[in-house]
Amino acid sequence: MEIHVDKNACVGCGLCVKDCPMHVYELQDNVSVAVRPNNCMGCLSCHEICPAQALEHRGIYAARRHYIDIKVCEMLRKVV
Amino acid sequence: MSAGYIDEMHEAFHSDLIYRAEDIPLECSPKPKELEHTLHGVMKLNGLVIRSLEEIAGRGANAVTYRAGKKFGHEVAQYFQKREDVEGALHELSDLLRGQYSFEVWKPEDKETFIIEENGETFIYLVFHDCIVRQTLRRNGLDQGGPLCQTLFGYVVGAVEEITGRKAKLEIVHTGPNACLKKLILK
């Protein structure tokens, strides 16, 4: 598992540090650093909680997603 | 309601198909792609049931759904091969849950084995990746870890108990949008 933190985007709020149950992140000089990437089990809570969207995971298993509303998807497809 | 509309409705449900009692459908009808709306309907319905149950029964809702899941787990797993080893039981469980849930046995990097002994208890970490419960909860904007999750817990515990013949307990360690970490405690 590779975790990349965009240092320019990270605001150092520490939410990922508090939220991660496996203590993957640590704040160093007010920037989040993935110190234990091998402990990451890929829940992606940190992605959801990060206000700056500064995180990127590589080599992760993406779970099946059925919950996205079909009509919303159709509308998004027209826009994107 | 106009007569024309009623005729139209009757027309939609009428066909010349001959269906015999011995006819066994060999495939899902309609095609899975066309079932997307049905799936969303089922997820909405489940969400509504769980939301109402929480409103009416409060914290007791968890106990009800856990009990229901556990009973179901016992019932389903009784037809599976009995295994004494936990590894084999989890393999059986993975077959049992196929299509609805997928999970893997997981360990933090500082642990040497998957069966962990800590503070007098023996447990295994399970990471649930694909989960129909998570999909349903997120589809309905409900919190994870509530009564619907308890149904899955009960189901897993019931199945493991039935397969191994040992008492088990499951704990939520963490819930996330892409995976959830659970602790299977063996007694």
Side-chain angles (χ1 to χ4, degrees):
Chain A
M1 177 85 71
E2 265 182 61
I3 303 172
H4 176 72
V5 182
D6 185 340
K7 286 180 183 170
N8 296 322
C10 178
V11 292
C13 64
L15 285 174
C16 54
V17 180
K18 280 184 200 159
D19 190 54
C20 180
M22 289 300 143
H23 313 293
V24 167
Y25 302 98
E26 265 178 22
L27 273 186
Q28 291 177 4
D29 299 325
N30 270 333
V31 171
S32 178
V33 178
V35 286
R36 295 175 203 89
N38 291 335
N39 265 0
C40 177
M41 38 112 183
C43 71
L44 298 188
S45 286
C46 50
H47 278 232
E48 206 164 57
I49 212 165
C50 177
Q53 298 185 343
L55 303 167
E56 190 180 279
H57 282 62
R58 288 179 192 176
I60 199 163
Y61 174 82
R64 293 182 206 169
R65 295 193 179 182
H66 311 306
Y67 57 80
I68 301 158
D69 196 278
I70 304 165
K71 282 181 187 161
V72 172
C73 279
E74 281 168 4
M75 278 162 65
L76 282 173
R77 264 187 227 112
K78 284 178 194 168
V79 179
V80 181
Chain B
M1 203 180 285
S2 70
Y5 176 68
I6 293 173
D7 288 344
E8 213 176 275
M9 221 160 65
H10 284 164
E11 189 65 32
F13 290 104
H14 183 267
S15 85
D16 296 323
L17 179 79
I18 301 164
Y19 200 91
R20 296 181 186 87
E22 66 270 25
D23 284 345
I24 298 165
L26 295 175
E27 58 185 29
C28 195
S29 164
K31 298 280 177 220
K33 179 73 188 159
E34 291 167 42
L35 286 170
E36 218 171 334
H37 285 283
T38 313
L39 171 71
H40 277 257
V42 173
M43 290 202 291
K44 270 189 204 168
L45 181 71
N46 266 334
L48 284 171
V49 171
I50 287 299
R51 191 177 291 169
S52 307
L53 184 67
E54 259 186 310
E55 280 170 12
I56 296 162
R59 290 178 67 189
N62 283 355
V64 174
T65 49
Y66 177 80
R67 182 76 188 85
K70 194 173 171 183
K71 197 176 172 200
F72 190 49
H74 273 286
E75 276 175 17
V76 173
Q78 67 182 330
Y79 302 109
F80 277 70
Q81 195 186 342
K82 301 286 175 273
R83 310 281 292 253
E84 278 183 19
D85 59 311
V86 179
E87 197 186 316
L90 289 173
H91 189 78
E92 291 283 328
L93 184 67
S94 156
D95 281 346
L96 197 74
L97 300 176
R98 184 157 296 154
Q100 300 162 59
Y101 312 95
S102 69
F103 70 88
E104 66 172 327
V105 177
W106 185 84
K107 69 173 181 65
E109 62 178 345
D110 60 328
K111 301 289 177 201
E112 285 181 2
T113 57
F114 287 104
I115 298 178
I116 302 164
E117 285 185 27
E118 216 172 68
N119 303 325
E121 62 182 19
T122 309
F123 61 88
I124 300 168
Y125 280 125
L126 300 177
V127 174
F128 277 76
H129 293 288
D130 300 309
C131 174
I132 191 72
V133 167
R134 193 189 311 127
Q135 308 294 324
T136 303
L137 293 170
R138 295 185 77 83
R139 173 69 180 80
N140 291 286
L142 295 169
D143 286 341
Q144 288 172 251
L148 202 56
C149 283
Q150 294 293 330
T151 316
L152 171 64
F153 289 179
Y155 189 60
V156 172
V157 168
V160 168
E161 282 186 359
E162 189 67 34
I163 295 166
T164 59
R166 289 170 72 176
K167 286 272 172 203
K169 195 181 153 194
L170 203 68
E171 260 180 34
I172 313 172
V173 179
H174 188 73
T175 58
N178 196 55
C180 298
L181 182 65
K182 282 150 194 183
K183 200 172 167 184
L184 179 68
I185 303 164
L186 304 160
K187 291 181 180 173

